[in-house]
Every structure is written in structure tokens, then in C-alpha cells.
Amino acid sequence: MSVSPMMNEKKALIESMLKDTRSKKDAYKKQMHKYRLMNNITEIIMILFTGLAAGSSSARLIINERTTSVLSVLFSSISGFFAILRRVTDLNKQTDSYKNTYLQLSELERYIQNVLVQTPNPSQYNSIISEINLKTSFIESLSIPIE
């Protein structure tokens, strides 16, 4: 049974769609890790300075020096700054959005791989290509664009 050149072109198109899906998936995975790292770093800094502020406040009660009061205010201010920064940037939401897009693209990638392995009936290629395009459009319409 010979495969027509038109079917080879459609299969090549599906393989190209698989390659594009993989590259998008990898880009979203990279963004997800980047935002997760930024979120963790800001949280660590905020917790660190909150602890330092509490410690210097306690030391102020024992030592009763002016520098401990200044340090307490400074550490509290830095901690407050990072708390506001986290709230304004909403890193958790962005991390979750990139993660969801990554997972959706992973699912689409598996679907396309299954299609290529199953060797569909030549009459199904057009509907498969349309379905892949529809799924890709849906995922992209709900995702945050990559910077």
C-alpha cells in the first residue's frame, strides 16, 4: 500500500505541530521554574527580615539601645516591602498559570504523539489537523504570553 505525497505532507505537518508544541511546552516550563524561584526567594527574604525584626525588637527590650530600635524598624520595613512586592506581582498566580499552560501543552504533545504512532486512516488527517489547531488555539487563548 503506497502512501500518497499529500498524506506525507499532512503527516509532516502534524510532526511540525508536535515540534512547535514541544518548544512552547519547554518555554512555559522554563517560565514556570523562573517564577517559582522568584516567588521562593522573595518569600525567604521576607521571612528572614521578619525574623530579624522580631529578634531586634526582643533585643531592644534587653539591651535598651537606640541601634536595636533602628534595626528593628529597618528590618520590619524591608520585610514589609517584600510582602507588598509579592502581593503586587502575584508571583503565585503567574507560576500557576505557567504551570497550567505547561501541563496542557504536555497533554497536547502526548495526543499528537499518539496520533503519529497510531498511523490514522488518510481520510482522518484533515480532522486531526483541525483538532490540533483548535486545541492549540484554546490553550494559547487562556495562557499568559511568554515575555
Side-chain angles (χ1 to χ4, degrees), residues 49-66:
F49 281 104
T50 300
L52 289 172
S56 59
S57 292
S58 299
R60 185 183 76 213
L61 296 173
I62 297 169
I63 300 172
N64 202 13
E65 279 192 33
R66 182 179 204 132

Side-chain angles (χ1 to χ4, degrees), residues 42 45-46 49-50 73-89:
T42 56
I45 291 171
M46 189 177 77
F49 281 104
T50 300
V73 170
L74 177 67
F75 293 147
S76 294
S77 299
I78 293 171
S79 175
F81 170 76
F82 278 98
I84 291 169
L85 180 68
R86 286 190 58 177
R87 195 172 304 131
V88 168
T89 58

